[in-house]
Structures are given as structure tokens and as C-alpha cells.
């Protein structure tokens, strides 16, 4: 682009060219591959059967999970037996969150940091990381698919919260993200506090959207998925997107006319979601995550997918001490 390019021309390029990538990802989320299946619509919150509540957490222990026993990986729990008999680990994931869980348009495979953690669990159970069946879900479906039993695990940039512990269970934390803002490259905003009177998009059913209520001057615009937020942003229908830095880094990689600004306004601990009453499966996942953190696989995955966020930090320490309900 030359110095004589008009502002209108730059605007057209920003809204047209990067949108191709967003549309490709959105279409990819609906295209089956040999390792993934197109999801059936998730059960609504009103129709999903209620899951037994986990032990009531407090916000001082929200990342505390169930400690694996020394022989957890060698044990023979009912959950693991059922998964082995089925022949596949069934998981709920994103297919349009670049770097975390997105369908590769060349191979058709879903890949990313979240996916690597799930493949490690499948490899531990079967000796084969590809013995896994993906169900592509939205952020708003994450609780539903665990409560109705249609998946074994959910890893979809899933923040651990006290409220969610009331409905499901979580593994130990495996990644710490922070909520930031994506704006146009020429924006003067340096953070969410500079967006009064602006339209800011976030997906339904996320802590990100709920946190916008803390900024009454901001007009919150909900969307079904992060990719839909990106499309609205590129069409000029919203002024910014707020979300975890892991997600926004993927957006900035797709759109050269966008940038991530500001300090993180929250710490978002990611965990793998499990049905509330399946404590033995939680323990198994925790044992696998402890191995992945210790043997270098966690660091290798971080370098592969999240190097845009800087050098790989130490993996989050697993916190245990929660007791079964």
C-alpha cells in the first residue's frame, strides 16, 4: 500500500481482505473431517438435566481441584473403562479460535493449545492421541454438553469460576490468560477504560461479556462466537473486541489492521471442564496435566501456539485440596 492510498481504500481492505480468513474459519467450524464431527445443537439450559453440585467453592480456592492418587493413571475407574470401551474420548472444543482450537484449512484437523492438552489425555488412555472425537461447540454450550453427558471433557478457553464450580467440575489450571481489548490499528485507545460510548463485542456465555458490566460507559454487544465478533469488527459494526489475550492474539494474526492494547483487566485461569459428579475422571485428567507440565510437552505446545505472547512462562502450578461432594 502506498502513501497515496485513501483512507476509504484502507478501510475497504481492512474490512474485506482479513474477513476471508474469518469466513474460512467460520466455515471450517461446520466442515467435518476424519477426526471431527459436526455437532448437533446443544441442549438448552432449561432442558439439560441438572448435574449434582460439586463441593461449594469459595473464590479463594476456585483453582483447587481433586488431587490424583499415586495410582490414578494405572487405576481402572468406571469412567475410563467406559471411554476405552467406546474407543474414543469425546470432547467439546472450538474450531474457530486461532491458536487455541481452530480447524486447519489445509489439513482439516482441529489444532491449538487447548487441543494439545486433550490429545495428551487421549494418548494416556489409548496410547494414541488421535483416538478422540471432537464436538464443535459455542462458548454458551460448554456447561450444557457436560451436564447432558454428550461429551467427556470440554477445553474451550474455559475460565474456572466459582459460579461454574456450582454446576460442573474443573481440572487443575493449565493456562493463565488475561482479558484485554482488540481495536483498530489507528485507534488511540490504550485500554478498555478509553472505550466509553463505543460498541465492544464479546461472546455470549463468557466471563468476558459479564465483566463489561463493570464499564457502564461501554455498549456491550454479544455474539454467538469469537469469530462472529471478529466479523462484526471487520464490518465496522463494533469498535472493539474484548477477550482473553490468547484469543485476541489469534485475531491480530488474522487482521493486520488490528492490535491488542492495554494491561490485562483480569486473570483468567483455564481448566478442562468435566461433569460435576465424575471426580475420578477429574483426577485422571489432573494426573495427565501434571505429567505434561513436568516433561516439557506443555512448554513445547506453548512455543508452538502462543509464542506471540512472549517467552513460555512456567506452567501454572496445580492446586489441590478439593474434596468430593
Amino acid at each position: 500500500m502506498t502513501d497515496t492510498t485513501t483512507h476509504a481504500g484502507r478501510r475497504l481492505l481492512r474490512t474485506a481482505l482479513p474477513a476471508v480468513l474469518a469466513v474460512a474459519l467460520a466455515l471450517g467450524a461446520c466442515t467435518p473431517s476424519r477426526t471431527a464431527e459436526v455437532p448437533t445443537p446443544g441442549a438448552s439450559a432449561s432442558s439439560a438435566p441438572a448435574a449434582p453440585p460439586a463441593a461449594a467453592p469459595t473464590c479463594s480456592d476456585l483453582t483447587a481441584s481433586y488431587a490424583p492418587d499415586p495410582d490414578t493413571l494405572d487405576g481402572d475407574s468406571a469412567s475410563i473403562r467406559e471411554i476405552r470401551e467406546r474407543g474414543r474420548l469425546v470432547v467439546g472444543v472450538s474450531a474457530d479460535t486461532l491458536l487455541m482450537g481452530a480447524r486447519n484449512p489445509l489439513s482439516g484437523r482441529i489444532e491449538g493449545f487447548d487441543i494439545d492438552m486433550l490429545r495428551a489425555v487421549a494418548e494416556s488412555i489409548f496410547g494414541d492421541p488421535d483416538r478422540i472425537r471432537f464436538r464443535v461447540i459455542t462458548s454458551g454450550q460448554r456447561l450444557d454438553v457436560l451436564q447432558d453427558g454428550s461429551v467427556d471433557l470440554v477445553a474451550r478457553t474455559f475460565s474456572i469460576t466459582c459460579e461454574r464450580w456450582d454446576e460442573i467440575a474443573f481440572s487443575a489450571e493449565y493456562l493463565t490468560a488475561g482479558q484485554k481489548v482488540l481495536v483498530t490499528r489507528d485507534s488511540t485507545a490504550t485500554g478498555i477504560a478509553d472505550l466509553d460510548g463505543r460498541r465492544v463485542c464479546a461472546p455470549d456465555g463468557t466471563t468476558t461479556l459479564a465483566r463489561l458490566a463493570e464499564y457502564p460507559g461501554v455498549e456491550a454487544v454479544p455474539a454467538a462466537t469469537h469469530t462472529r465478533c471478529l466479523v462484526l469488527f471487520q464490518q465496522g459494526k463494533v469498535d472493539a473486541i474484548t477477550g482473553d489475550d490468547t484469543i485476541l492474539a489469534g485475531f491480530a494474526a488474522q487482521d493486520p489492521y488490528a492490535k491488542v492494547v492495554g494491561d490485562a483487566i483480569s486473570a483468567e485461569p483455564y481448566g478442562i471442564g468435566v461433569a460435576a459428579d465424575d471426580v475420578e475422571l477429574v483426577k485422571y485428567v489432573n494426573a495427565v496435566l501434571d505429567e505434561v507440565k513436568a516433561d516439557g510437552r506443555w512448554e513445547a505446545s506453548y512455543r508452538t501456539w502462543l509464542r506471540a505472547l512472549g517467552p513460555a512462562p512456567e506452567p501454572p502450578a496445580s492446586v489441590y485440596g478439593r474434596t468430593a461432594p
Side-chain angles (χ1 to χ4, degrees):
M1 184 178 296
T2 68
D3 291 339
T4 59
T5 303
T6 66
H7 177 77
R10 289 195 300 269
R11 178 65 174 176
L12 176 61
L13 286 172
R14 191 182 75 79
T15 57
L17 293 178
V20 173
L21 287 171
V23 170
L25 282 174
L27 290 175
C30 300
T31 305
S33 75
R34 64 181 181 275
T35 58
E37 63 176 14
V38 177
T40 56
S44 67
S46 60
S47 62
T58 65
C59 284
S60 63
D61 74 350
L62 83 164
T63 59
S65 188
Y66 302 112
D69 301 317
D71 62 346
T72 291
L73 293 180
D74 298 325
D76 191 26
S77 71
S79 292
I80 299 302
R81 285 199 306 271
E82 180 181 346
I83 292 168
R84 286 194 177 116
E85 290 169 3
R86 184 196 306 138
R88 291 286 186 274
L89 178 70
V90 182
V91 297
V93 299
S94 171
D96 62 359
T97 305
L98 194 66
L99 309 181
M100 296 299 293
R103 197 182 301 279
N104 185 314
L106 299 179
S107 68
R109 291 171 62 88
I110 298 177
E111 56 189 21
F113 189 87
D114 278 347
I115 308 305
D116 284 355
M117 300 302 106
L118 293 171
R119 289 190 183 278
V121 177
E123 184 172 20
S124 177
I125 295 173
F126 297 106
D128 181 355
D130 290 326
R131 295 282 287 275
I132 194 165
R133 180 177 299 131
F134 296 106
R135 286 202 55 184
V136 178
I137 60 173
T138 66
S139 296
Q141 293 174 313
R142 292 176 297 190
L143 296 176
D144 292 342
V145 295
L146 289 170
Q147 292 174 326
D148 67 20
S150 57
V151 302
D152 302 309
L153 306 173
V154 168
R156 197 190 189 287
T157 57
F158 205 178
S159 298
I160 304 169
T161 70
C162 292
E163 294 77 14
R164 288 171 179 163
W165 264 111
D166 287 337
E167 300 188 65
I168 63 166
F170 280 103
S171 72
E173 180 182 2
Y174 67 89
L175 185 66
T176 305
Q179 184 175 343
K180 295 185 180 180
V181 178
L182 183 89
V183 296
T184 57
R185 180 67 66 180
D186 58 358
S187 173
T188 59
T190 60
I192 195 167
D194 297 330
L195 295 174
D196 278 5
R198 304 295 181 88
R199 297 158 296 172
V200 180
C201 189
D204 271 324
T206 62
T207 55
T208 302
L209 182 63
R211 194 166 285 111
L212 285 179
E214 300 172 14
Y215 299 88
V218 168
E219 180 183 345
V221 179
T225 65
H226 288 99
T227 296
R228 182 57 186 162
C229 278
L230 180 59
V231 171
L232 294 175
F233 176 74
Q234 291 175 331
Q235 291 174 339
K237 294 180 179 178
V238 299
D239 303 293
I241 305 170
T242 186
D244 297 348
D245 52 4
T246 50
I247 297 168
L248 298 185
F251 286 174
Q254 294 177 63
D255 189 342
Y257 297 96
K259 62 182 178 180
V260 181
V261 298
D263 296 327
I265 61 173
S266 70
E268 301 290 342
Y270 289 172
I272 294 176
V274 188
D277 59 347
D278 205 344
V279 174
E280 291 305 311
L281 183 55
V282 179
K283 291 180 178 180
Y284 192 95
V285 171
N286 283 339
V288 173
L289 290 177
D290 284 347
E291 286 191 344
V292 169
K293 293 175 183 179
D295 65 15
R297 283 180 286 170
W298 187 96
E299 182 181 357
S301 181
Y302 192 100
R303 288 200 309 267
T304 298
W305 301 110
L306 301 176
R307 59 184 177 273
L309 300 178
E314 289 295 316
S318 297
V319 178
Y320 297 129
R322 189 173 297 273
T323 57

